[in-house]
């Protein structure tokens, strides 16, 4: 009953809302400002009013604020490319979305770091209303990236083998779990570290068949016959040795370059094994879809795996929205210092007093934008 009252109160106050805005490109902690704006609480005929519930800050979001990301919204802009919200009202001519639907952005650049937003019908995409918040908040980027790379480049069958570097990244962990579900063997490359045994145990608990270090990859001591697909998010020397594991007709897909080095390819396998090199960007995949069926099919399968527990929830951190500058600066500094070895998650909740910090592989900060609290309750 308490949560229902809070939600109704939010709808009544929808004319005034807060959002994180940048008016020019620059250092994200300095460029982002928390502002209150007035919105109409009644959408026009083709608009919908969305209460945004949870929204992450991915590395791409920070690059966008810095002005170095390919997707550049018109300035001033609201930050955030990912997240999910609940539709609280719809315009008279809206057909594909209804009140109460849970939605995510249809493409990058929408601006999800806000409490409430007015959007065109075609700017959002409905998802499963029964998907828990921990999945829905990060449903748009990492799980689909892993899914599409495993589906779109090689016709993988049960028992086939793939290899990936950056295996303890957000995408890497999704790849491991989807491979386990589909019966595909995964060879996972990680950097050597003090807590390597702990990391190996974590990845194997997710379903990894093999976990090796980059040093072991370079030494070529381990043999993995029949590798059909390689997933590269590092580049440089790592990509060279990753591609060398491919069997005849294999493909290496590059979706990141965290070493900031060019992608390298071995000449012999390129000529004599006819391996291929491809690139993948999830945002572009969304842009080129002419009909929603393929996306709906993907979301349905991913949501079923998540709701059944076959794909594990991520851990999140709770903090106040107004602390965004300090949190982003701290995360950005640690990310820069550790290159691609650190992933920090922050969850911001408007009324929360709690802060939890979870270190992972990439920079990943999450804002809670809902007064319906997940970890705490209003008095």
């Amino acid at each position: 009953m308490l949560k229902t009252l809070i939600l109704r109160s939010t709808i009544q106050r929808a004319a005034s809302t807060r959002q994180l805005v940048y008016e020019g490109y620059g250092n994200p902690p300095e460029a982002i400002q928390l502002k209150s704006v007035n919105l109409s609480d009644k959408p026009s005929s083709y608009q919908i009013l969305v209460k945004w519930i949870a929204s992450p800050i991915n590395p791409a979001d920070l690059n966008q604020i810095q002005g170095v990301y390919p997707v550049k919204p018109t300035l001033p802009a609201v930050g955030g490319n990912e997240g999910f919200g609940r539709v609280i009202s719809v315009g008279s001519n809206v057909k594909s979305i209804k009140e109460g639907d849970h939605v995510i952005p249809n493409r990058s650049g929408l601006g999800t770091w806000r409490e409430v937003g007015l959007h065109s019908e075609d700017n959002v995409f409905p998802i499963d209303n029964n998907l828990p918040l921990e999945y829905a908040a990060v449903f748009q980027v990492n799980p689909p990236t892993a899914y599409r790379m495993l589906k779109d480049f090689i016709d993988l069958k049960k028992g086939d083998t793939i290899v990936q570097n950056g295996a303890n990244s957000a995408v890497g962990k999704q790849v491991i779990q989807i491979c386990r579900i589909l019966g595909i063997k995964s060879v996972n490359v990680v950097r050597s570290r003090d807590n390597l045994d702990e990391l190996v145990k974590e990845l194997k608990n997710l379903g990894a068949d093999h976990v090796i270090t980059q040093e072991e990859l370079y030494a070529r001591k381990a043999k993995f016959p029949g590798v059909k697909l390689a997933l590269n998010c590092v580049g440089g020397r790592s990509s060279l040795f990753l591609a060398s594991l491919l069997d005849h007709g294999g493909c290496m897909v590059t979706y990141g370059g965290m070493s900031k080095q060019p992608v390298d390819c071995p000449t012999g396998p390129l000529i004599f094994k006819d391996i291929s090199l491809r690139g993948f960007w999830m945002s572009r995949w969304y842009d080129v879809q002419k009909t929603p069926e393929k996306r709906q099919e993907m979301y349905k399968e991913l949501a079923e795996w998540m709701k059944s527990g076959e794909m594990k929830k991520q851990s999140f951190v709770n903090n106040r929205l107004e602390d965004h500058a300090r949190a982003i600066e701290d995360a950005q500094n640690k990310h820069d210092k550790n290159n691609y070895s650190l992933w920090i998650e922050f969850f911001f909740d408007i009324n929360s007093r709690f802060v939890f910090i979870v270190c992972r592989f990439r920079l990943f900060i999450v804002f809670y934008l809902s007064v319906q609290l997940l970890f705490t309750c209003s008095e």
Side-chain angles (χ1 to χ4, degrees):
M1 188 63 177
L2 175 61
K3 290 186 177 180
T4 303
L5 292 173
I6 291 172
L7 179 57
R8 288 174 181 169
S9 176
T10 302
I11 296 173
Q12 290 168 0
R13 296 195 304 265
S16 178
T17 185
R18 298 190 301 172
Q19 53 193 27
L20 291 168
V21 180
Y22 59 105
E23 298 181 346
Y25 300 128
N27 184 32
E30 299 169 357
I32 285 288
Q33 299 177 31
L34 181 60
K35 292 193 172 184
S36 294
V37 297
N38 292 323
L39 293 177
S40 171
D41 58 0
K42 296 191 179 200
S44 63
S45 57
Y46 290 99
Q47 284 185 320
I48 61 172
L49 189 65
V50 178
K51 173 187 172 185
W52 290 100
I53 296 171
S55 178
I57 302 176
N58 293 309
D61 301 324
L62 300 181
N63 292 154
Q64 194 171 67
I65 298 165
Q66 293 164 338
V68 296
Y69 195 66
V71 177
K72 293 181 171 64
T74 302
L75 299 179
V78 176
N81 291 289
E82 189 179 19
F84 91 104
R86 182 183 299 108
V87 177
I88 52 181
S89 61
V90 300
S92 58
N93 291 331
V94 172
K95 304 299 182 186
S96 62
I97 305 289
K98 65 182 182 299
E99 184 177 326
D101 280 352
H102 288 183
V103 295
I104 62 175
N106 197 26
R107 56 184 60 86
S108 297
L110 180 64
T112 54
W113 299 351
R114 62 177 99 206
E115 293 170 325
V116 177
L118 271 174
H119 308 285
S120 298
E121 176 184 8
D122 61 0
N123 281 340
V124 298
F125 199 95
I127 61 171
D128 189 333
N129 270 34
N130 296 317
L131 197 61
L133 184 149
E134 295 89 344
Y135 292 116
V138 290
F139 192 64
Q140 181 187 352
V141 179
N142 292 328
T145 297
Y147 183 97
R148 296 258 60 99
M149 291 193 298
L150 291 171
K151 293 277 189 176
D152 290 354
F153 296 92
I154 294 291
D155 184 19
L156 294 170
K157 300 288 194 299
K158 188 174 182 178
D160 285 343
T161 302
I162 69 103
V163 62
Q164 64 168 340
N165 55 23
N168 56 326
S169 68
V171 172
K173 290 179 179 179
Q174 305 293 322
V175 167
I176 290 171
Q177 295 177 85
I178 295 174
C179 283
R180 186 200 72 238
I181 293 166
L182 298 178
I184 298 166
K185 298 176 183 177
S186 65
V187 179
N188 302 277
V189 183
V190 299
R191 293 198 305 170
S192 185
R193 63 201 66 213
D194 293 337
N195 65 335
L196 181 61
D197 290 343
E198 182 181 326
L199 176 60
V200 171
K201 181 179 179 181
E202 179 190 358
L203 298 184
K204 288 201 169 184
N205 284 341
L206 291 176
D209 294 282
H210 304 279
V211 181
I212 63 173
T213 64
Q214 284 192 156
E215 292 73 20
E216 290 172 319
L217 174 67
Y218 300 158
R220 301 185 188 226
K221 290 182 180 179
K223 304 297 181 183
F224 304 102
V227 175
K228 295 191 172 183
L229 179 68
L231 305 178
N232 167 47
C233 67
V234 178
R237 191 182 184 197
S238 180
S239 60
L240 175 69
F241 282 86
L242 202 70
S244 70
L245 294 179
L246 288 170
D247 202 356
H248 290 273
C251 176
M252 182 169 76
V253 179
T254 294
Y255 67 99
M258 290 183 287
S259 70
K260 300 180 181 178
Q261 298 297 317
V263 173
D264 291 338
C265 178
T267 304
L270 187 64
I271 297 172
F272 303 115
K273 289 187 177 181
D274 192 27
I275 67 170
S276 59
L277 307 182
R278 298 286 301 276
F280 182 76
W281 184 29
M282 195 68 230
S283 294
R284 173 163 174 75
W285 188 91
Y286 285 134
D287 286 342
V288 300
Q289 300 307 303
K290 303 299 184 186
T291 60
E293 285 78 17
K294 215 170 184 181
R295 189 169 181 174
Q296 290 168 342
E297 178 186 351
M298 173 178 68
Y299 284 172
K300 182 175 184 292
E301 193 161 25
L302 285 171
E304 287 173 352
W305 292 337
M306 291 172 179
K307 290 188 296 181
S308 70
E310 290 187 276
M311 295 184 73
K312 306 301 181 185
K313 292 180 182 179
Q314 301 177 48
S315 299
F316 297 124
V317 178
N318 212 0
N319 203 345
R320 289 181 302 217
L321 181 64
E322 45 268 36
D323 293 333
H324 65 278
R326 175 186 53 78
I328 293 174
E329 184 174 13
D330 182 55
Q332 189 172 333
N333 289 341
K334 290 180 180 178
H335 176 67
D336 291 342
K337 181 179 179 181
N338 292 277
N339 196 11
Y340 62 88
S341 64
L342 184 65
W343 170 26
I344 299 182
E345 296 176 298
F346 291 90
F347 256 66
F348 294 80
D349 193 290
I350 296 169
N351 295 322
S352 175
R353 301 173 184 174
F354 299 98
V355 181
F356 306 95
I357 298 178
V358 180
C359 292
R360 290 291 187 265
F361 180 79
R362 296 176 60 191
L363 179 64
F364 183 81
I365 313 165
V366 178
F367 289 91
Y368 267 119
L369 300 179
S370 173
V371 294
Q372 286 187 281
L373 306 181
L374 180 67
F375 301 117
T376 61
C377 294
S378 299
E379 297 179 358

